[in-house]
Amino acid sequence: MRNKIRFVQNGQIRELENVDPNQTVLNFLRYEDAQTGSKEGCAEGDCGACTVVLGELKGDEVQYQAVNACIQFLPMIDGKELITVENLKSDDGHLHPVQQAMVDANATQCGFCTPGFVMSIFAEAQGKARSDLQSINDVLAGNLCRCTGYGTIIEAARNAVTSDTSSHFQARKTLTAELLSELANDEMLATSGANNQFFAPTTTSELVQLLDTHPEATILAGATDIGLWVTKKHERLQTLIYIGQIKELKQISDEGDFIRVGAGVSYSEAWEILQSLSSDLGELIRRIASTQIRNSGTIGGNIANGSPIGDTPPALIALNATLNLQSSKGVRSIALEDFFIEYGKQDLLSGEFVASVDIPKIQAQQRFRTYKISKRFDQDISALCAAYSLRLEGNTVATYAFAMAEWPEHL
Ligand SMILES: Cc1cc2nc3c(=O)[nH]c(=O)nc-3n(C[C@H](O)[C@H](O)[C@H](O)COP(=O)(O)OP(=O)(O)OC[C@H]3O[C@@H](n4cnc5c(N)ncnc54)[C@H](O)[C@@H]3O)c2cc1C
Ligand code: FES
Ligand code: FES
């Protein structure tokens, strides 16, 4: 077992020990590392002022994703590249093309939100680099600005996403990939603070053993719920078991009649295949929170948290999805509908974890629709989310399934 956290920043490997597992990436940057470019606006994943970019090795390529540093725990960046707004300027001090585009478009006033916007646009520039308005709106939906107004920011983003062809990030990509592959290994990270501990198993058998030894542990996936327990409810989580390093749980597989989505698959990773099953399902995923949250949050976490207003359960229940729960006793498969026993109570036994969800493919005679109503179109939880699926025989409805999640009156 390894107790040091290792990550790449600015072309170098960094190592940290004795890290408090409840410490967020943002607090580390601002209070311990004197990198104060990333700001804290809300500390709950809503405003995007804290946006940083994580690079991960996928095959030989480094892929970049924007995340909210305020709700990511520091040990979660183990094995990844961390890029903050401080890292964008070139070695000779020139602004990155994304920063320059913000200056050129007069896209900033007080500047508080600006580093977050820059990092969201930077991530898009490193990846798909889409400049159509719909895509730019998606890229920026998780960043709020109180003073500039969005017109100039959108203009800067549209100009900038295709401009990053010569920055030092492009020049350094091979080195970064080499450094990340140096960090890649199958040794479990086990780090502890004063009175809490963090495990990052790399296989499901390690996870099963850990859950047997630590039945009180909190399973941590994307932290888009759990992060807020620490930053908003001020809880201290004693034992965290992070599933984000387990490759088996990050698989998506086509099993013929159904698609199996591992519990560690993020919304962003699942979007393409779910969109191919149903454009309604794709749109539902696209409307969950923001790009930053979708890059971290998982469907497994959305199910396991048992939230009465989780967006994916109604659609998946209407599609008759099956949930696979795993423990040292083996795999138990149940209808997703049966997982939710009552408000706040799920059918998850001690030592068990959500391993995957099986989503049946939609048949030719089947009609499926899902709807979300929220106060804001983007970056808002549902007031009501509903889905139906019906199977036709000729002009007759042979079977019908309907599921709905509604904001509870007592909350
Ligand atoms: C700003 C913001 C906007 C949001 N918008 C939406 C929205 O529009 N729609 C929506 O539905 N949700 C929304 N959420 C809630 C959240 O993003 C989702 O519920 C997300 O799917 C949680 O997944 P996660 O991987 O981050 O889970 P985590 O926070 O890591 O965990 C959540 C819970 O699930 C448990 N858990 C996680 N994985 C497993 C597993 N494999 N086995 C057993 N237990 C497990 C954890 O122990 C914890 O109890 C939003 C959250 C934020 C902060
Ligand atoms: S501080 Fe608002 S999203 Fe992180
Ligand atoms: S420039 Fe002031 S909040 Fe955006």
Side-chain angles (χ1 to χ4, degrees):
M1 276 197 274
R2 198 159 48 79
N3 61 10
K4 284 185 189 157
I5 297 169
R6 299 177 310 176
F7 61 96
V8 175
Q9 193 176 21
N10 233 359
Q12 289 178 339
I13 292 179
R14 299 189 61 184
E15 287 194 343
L16 303 175
E17 44 187 338
N18 303 323
V19 166
D20 174 356
N22 284 191
Q23 185 175 37
T24 63
V25 173
L26 184 64
N27 282 350
F28 164 73
L29 288 171
R30 293 184 57 81
Y31 299 121
E32 288 193 18
D33 216 37
Q35 296 191 63
T36 51
S38 311
K39 302 288 185 275
E40 180 178 290
C42 64
E44 59 180 45
D46 257 322
C47 74
C50 64
T51 303
V52 295
V53 170
L54 296 180
E56 275 188 80
L57 205 53
K58 300 270 162 80
D60 297 336
E61 291 271 308
V62 186
Q63 286 184 9
Y64 296 94
Q65 291 197 315
V67 300
N68 299 113
C70 65
I71 50 171
Q72 292 284 292
F73 298 119
L74 189 52
M76 292 170 74
I77 66 168
D78 183 62
K80 299 173 186 165
E81 182 187 17
L82 172 65
I83 306 172
T84 68
V85 73
E86 284 87 352
N87 306 139
L88 293 202
K89 66 176 183 306
S90 64
D91 295 339
D92 58 3
H94 283 95
L95 291 182
H96 185 275
V98 172
Q99 294 172 304
Q100 191 59 52
M102 293 288 278
V103 174
D104 293 345
N106 286 322
T108 181
Q109 280 188 42
C110 78
F112 190 85
C113 68
T114 309
F117 275 99
V118 165
M119 296 313 289
S120 289
I121 301 165
F122 168 78
E124 179 66 18
Q126 303 302 312
K128 294 181 183 150
R130 300 159 299 173
S131 60
D132 61 285
L133 187 58
Q134 168 75 63
S135 301
I136 293 296
N137 284 344
D138 268 354
V139 167
L140 300 183
N143 292 82
L144 301 181
C145 175
R146 281 174 177 254
C147 44
T148 303
Y150 294 98
T152 51
I153 298 175
I154 290 169
E155 181 191 328
R158 294 189 80 169
N159 291 336
V161 283
T162 51
S163 66
D164 186 25
T165 48
S166 60
S167 77
H168 59 292
F169 284 93
Q170 302 298 330
R172 207 198 267 160
K173 265 188 175 163
T174 313
L175 169 68
T176 306
E178 278 168 17
L179 293 174
L180 287 175
S181 58
E182 216 178 291
L183 296 189
N185 67 43
D186 291 337
E187 200 180 358
M188 172 161 63
L189 172 71
T191 180
S192 49
N195 59 356
N196 53 8
Q197 49 194 342
F198 183 103
F199 298 97
T202 59
T203 61
T204 48
S205 47
E206 282 177 351
L207 173 60
V208 159
Q209 278 172 22
L210 279 168
L211 288 172
D212 278 348
T213 329
H214 301 281
E216 79 298 347
T218 303
I219 297 176
L220 174 70
T224 62
D225 286 319
I226 293 179
L228 280 69
W229 302 354
V230 171
T231 61
K232 290 289 140 169
K233 293 189 189 164
H234 304 291
E235 288 181 18
R236 233 182 126 61
L237 305 172
Q238 301 294 323
T239 307
L240 284 166
I241 303 179
Y242 176 51
I243 62 167
Q245 304 285 6
I246 303 176
K247 292 191 188 76
E248 296 139 276
L249 298 185
K250 297 204 68 92
Q251 303 293 325
I252 301 175
S253 57
D254 188 334
E255 303 287 331
D257 288 345
F258 62 89
I259 301 291
R260 175 163 292 169
V261 180
V265 173
S266 71
Y267 291 118
S268 299
E269 289 162 337
W271 179 81
E272 197 173 340
I273 190 106
L274 296 184
Q275 162 78 15
S276 75
L277 288 187
S278 147
S279 54
D280 267 35
L281 210 46
E283 180 63 1
L284 180 76
I285 300 295
R286 194 182 70 79
R287 283 199 50 206
I288 290 177
S290 59
T291 299
Q292 292 94 317
I293 296 287
R294 291 193 296 275
N295 287 341
S296 308
T298 61
I299 296 178
N302 200 229
I303 293 168
N305 73 13
S307 163
I309 42 150
D311 279 349
T312 59
L316 299 183
I317 288 171
L319 287 172
N320 201 20
T322 300
L323 196 61
N324 301 309
L325 305 162
Q326 193 172 339
S327 69
S328 51
K329 298 192 179 86
V331 176
R332 185 167 68 96
S333 299
I334 59 171
L336 175 59
E337 184 177 2
D338 296 337
F339 182 66
F340 303 103
I341 298 171
E342 59 184 59
Y343 176 68
K345 192 170 172 202
Q346 289 82 254
D347 181 9
L348 190 71
L349 307 175
S350 175
E352 242 176 11
F353 63 92
V354 174
S356 59
V357 58
D358 295 342
I359 308 171
K361 290 182 184 169
I362 296 166
Q363 305 300 316
Q365 318 82 338
Q366 197 177 347
R367 300 289 178 269
F368 168 76
R369 294 284 182 275
T370 181
Y371 304 91
K372 167 169 175 166
I373 298 172
S374 54
K375 285 186 190 153
R376 265 192 310 169
F377 188 80
D378 286 309
Q379 176 70 318
D380 203 1
I381 49 173
S382 295
L384 187 145
C385 192
Y388 72 79
S389 165
L390 44 96
R391 191 172 56 80
L392 299 173
E393 280 175 11
N395 287 330
T396 311
V397 174
T399 59
Y400 181 85
F402 176 78
M404 186 175 87
E406 192 181 9
W407 184 259
E409 271 177 29
H410 63 280
L411 289 183

